């Protein structure tokens, strides 16, 4: 008997590896003699690098980089045994690095992301998977490009300052001093959303507010990104409408247009790198989940990705989440059963503090029903 446990993190309470371990502990109380396979999942956002290192092995590298406001921060990225570096841009440009009062996407920059990439290039890395999402920035990846040696120039030939607002003055991009190692490095962006760069569903309009932008700033940032895209489109190709261009404040666009990166859905990359299909083939049951399973799960989040793989192999999938809503939609997708783990009405701090034991207890209950 083989059970695959492939769950995402439970936000603010359990990392994906912790959630997988809690589920196994609960299940093993009823079914100790089963072969359990834990594959922590992620969708390109927080926890992506950890999920990949946990599934594939590898080591962590620490590097000092600039945070969104240019202060020094210690970031880490993983290097898998096959030499691929796995990074999360939030380590250098994440919203969590700023207090609410500091959030200002007119000024914040992805410069530190470029420094992380430069560090990997300096170590001879030839392939980078970059989880993009959860950013405090709206600079289209301009800061990243500057850190990698690209010169972003205004009409007078002066280098632009860092930050999203400055891009409205961009007149030309000079690539002559960009790091030559970029030519030999394949970069794959694991995007957490599919938004385009500009317009009503673009980076500024949809995600600007959470980064501290008011309505006026959102307009200015959208104009600035539009100018960025117009200048780069003079090279012949326009990437502003490519799915994922608007991820991480337009960093997807900068990666695509300047570094030739592929933009892919985060969960697809995680499924591929963890070889989930191989591990699910021959399994009797799959358990997946995340903090909250609801209608949003239908938009390509990790549990849906796991479900799709399991369906190919005819293996039933049980969902286990902190909270569950829109169950009819979840059942319509094909989950065999979906269980919430919160056991009683409680405050959010209480729920978060008890997440591990709630998940373990619920897993034990699922195992007991399964064993009947
Ligand atoms: O960083 C952001 O802007 C959001 O997570 C969408 O990618």
């Amino acid at each position: 008997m083989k059970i695959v446990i492939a769950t995402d993190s439970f936000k603010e309470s359990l990392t994906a590896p912790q959630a997988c371990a809690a589920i196994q502990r609960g299940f093993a109380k009823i079914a100790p003699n089963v072969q359990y396979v834990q594959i922590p999942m992620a969708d390109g956002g927080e926890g992506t690098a950890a999920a990949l290192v946990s599934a594939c092995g590898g080591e962590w590298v620490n590097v000092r980089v600039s945070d969104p406001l240019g202060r020094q921060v210690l970031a880490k990225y993983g290097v898998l045994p096959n030499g691929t570096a796995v990074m999360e841009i939030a380590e250098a440009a994440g919203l969590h690095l700023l207090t609410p009062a500091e959030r200002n996407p007119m000024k914040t920059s992805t410069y530190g992301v470029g420094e992380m990439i430069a560090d990997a290039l300096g170590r001879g890395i030839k392939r980078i998977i970059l989880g993009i999402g959860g950013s405090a920035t709206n600079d289209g990846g301009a800061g990243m490009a500057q850190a990698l040696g690209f010169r972003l120039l205004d009409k007078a030939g002066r280098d632009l300052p860092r930050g999203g607002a400055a891009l409205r003055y961009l007149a030309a991009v000079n690539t002559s001093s960009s790091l030559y190692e970029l030519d030999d490095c394949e970069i794959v962006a694991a995007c957490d959303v599919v938004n385009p760069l500009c317009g009503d569903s673009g980076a500024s309009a949809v995600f600007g507010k959470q980064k501290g932008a008011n309505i006026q700033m959102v307009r200015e940032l959208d104009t600035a990104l539009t100018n960025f895209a117009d200048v780069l489109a003079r090279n012949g190709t326009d990437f502003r409408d490519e799915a994922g261009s608007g991820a991480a404040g337009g960093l997807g666009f900068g990666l695509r247009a300047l570094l030739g990166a592929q933009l892919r859905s985060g969960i697809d990359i995680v499924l591929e790198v963890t070889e989930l299909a191989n591990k699910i083939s021959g399994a009797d049951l799959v358990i997946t989940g995340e903090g909250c399973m609801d209608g949003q799960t239908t938009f390509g989040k990790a549990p849906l990705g796991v479900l799709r793989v399991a369906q190919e192999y005819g293996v039933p999938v049980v969902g286990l989440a902190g909270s569950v809503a829109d169950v009819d939609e979840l059942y319509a997708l094909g989950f065999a059963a979906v269980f919430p783990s919160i056991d009683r009405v409680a405050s959010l701090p209480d729920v978060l503090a008890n997440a591990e034991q709630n998940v373990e207890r619920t897993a034990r209950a699922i195992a007991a029903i399964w064993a009947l």
Side-chain angles (χ1 to χ4, degrees), residues 132-135 192-193 207 210-211 246-249:
I132 71 169
S135 67
D192 68 338
V193 296
F207 304 104
Q210 75 195 33
K211 304 175 189 185

Side-chain angles (χ1 to χ4, degrees), residues 11-367:
K11 263 212 172 69
E12 292 176 61
S13 54
L14 295 176
T15 62
Q18 285 170 333
C20 288
I23 292 172
Q24 177 168 334
R25 280 198 304 278
F27 240 84
K29 284 185 182 150
I30 301 290
N33 297 322
V34 163
Q35 179 199 353
Y36 293 99
V37 181
Q38 296 182 28
I39 325 270
M41 285 286 121
D43 61 9
E46 193 188 340
T48 299
L52 298 182
V53 171
S54 157
C56 306
E59 57 188 40
W60 291 101
V61 174
N62 291 312
V63 52
R64 283 206 169 276
V65 297
S66 307
D67 83 353
L69 291 174
R71 301 170 298 209
Q72 288 291 286
V73 65
L74 194 62
K76 67 174 191 317
Y77 64 87
V79 180
L80 305 182
N82 67 5
T84 300
V86 289
M87 301 181 175
E88 283 169 32
I89 64 97
E91 284 285 306
L95 198 54
H96 69 280
L97 296 171
L98 304 184
T99 64
E102 288 173 335
R103 294 177 187 173
N104 181 351
M106 307 288 274
K107 292 188 184 158
T108 47
S109 167
T110 50
Y111 197 88
V113 175
E115 291 175 315
M116 265 202 309
I117 295 175
D119 186 83
L121 295 176
R123 291 169 197 272
I125 297 283
K126 300 279 185 244
R127 185 164 192 260
I128 299 176
I129 295 175
L130 197 59
I132 71 169
S135 67
T137 51
N138 204 94
D139 74 349
M144 168 202 68
Q146 288 169 319
L148 292 169
F150 290 82
R151 293 190 62 201
L152 307 187
L153 307 169
D154 68 10
K155 260 202 317 226
R158 289 173 303 220
D159 287 287
L160 292 187
R162 294 184 202 173
L167 283 173
R168 73 184 280 189
Y169 302 109
L170 182 73
V173 177
N174 182 330
T175 60
S176 61
S177 47
S178 61
L179 295 187
Y180 69 88
E181 293 95 332
L182 283 168
D183 294 345
D184 287 336
C185 183
E186 178 194 355
I187 300 184
V188 183
C191 306
D192 68 338
V193 296
V194 292
N195 299 62
L197 183 66
C198 306
D200 289 347
S201 48
S204 321
V206 179
F207 304 104
K209 194 165 162 230
Q210 75 195 33
K211 304 175 189 185
N214 58 30
I215 294 173
Q216 178 58 25
M217 288 173 172
V218 164
R219 269 193 222 114
E220 287 179 33
L221 289 165
D222 192 54
T223 304
L225 288 180
T226 302
N227 183 47
F228 190 23
D230 288 345
V231 172
L232 290 182
R234 284 187 215 137
N235 288 342
T237 323
D238 193 339
F239 296 105
R240 82 187 79 191
D241 290 330
E242 197 159 306
S245 270
L251 177 61
F253 172 79
L255 284 163
R256 181 77 185 94
L258 289 168
L259 305 192
Q262 297 168 46
L263 305 185
R264 295 190 50 201
S265 120
I267 180 61
D268 285 353
I269 292 176
V270 173
L271 294 175
E272 190 176 293
V273 175
T274 58
E275 298 180 3
L276 190 75
N278 280 345
K279 290 164 188 160
I280 279 183
S281 103
D284 299 281
L285 179 68
V286 172
I287 304 172
T288 186
E290 63 181 331
C292 174
M293 285 178 70
D294 55 20
Q296 294 256 340
T297 304
T298 52
F299 297 123
K301 295 179 89 193
L304 180 66
V306 174
L307 175 75
R308 293 290 182 239
V309 174
Q311 283 173 328
E312 273 171 41
Y313 293 87
V315 182
V317 180
V318 167
L320 195 173
S323 67
V324 171
D326 311 319
V327 274
D328 290 342
E329 287 177 48
L330 296 172
Y331 285 133
L333 290 172
F335 287 99
V338 185
F339 295 83
S341 61
I342 299 170
D343 61 336
R344 66 198 152 85
V345 179
S347 67
L348 185 62
D350 219 39
V351 166
L352 297 178
N354 292 325
E356 195 156 9
Q357 67 203 53
N358 284 346
V359 167
E360 189 173 326
R361 193 198 58 255
T362 307
R364 183 195 183 284
I366 297 170

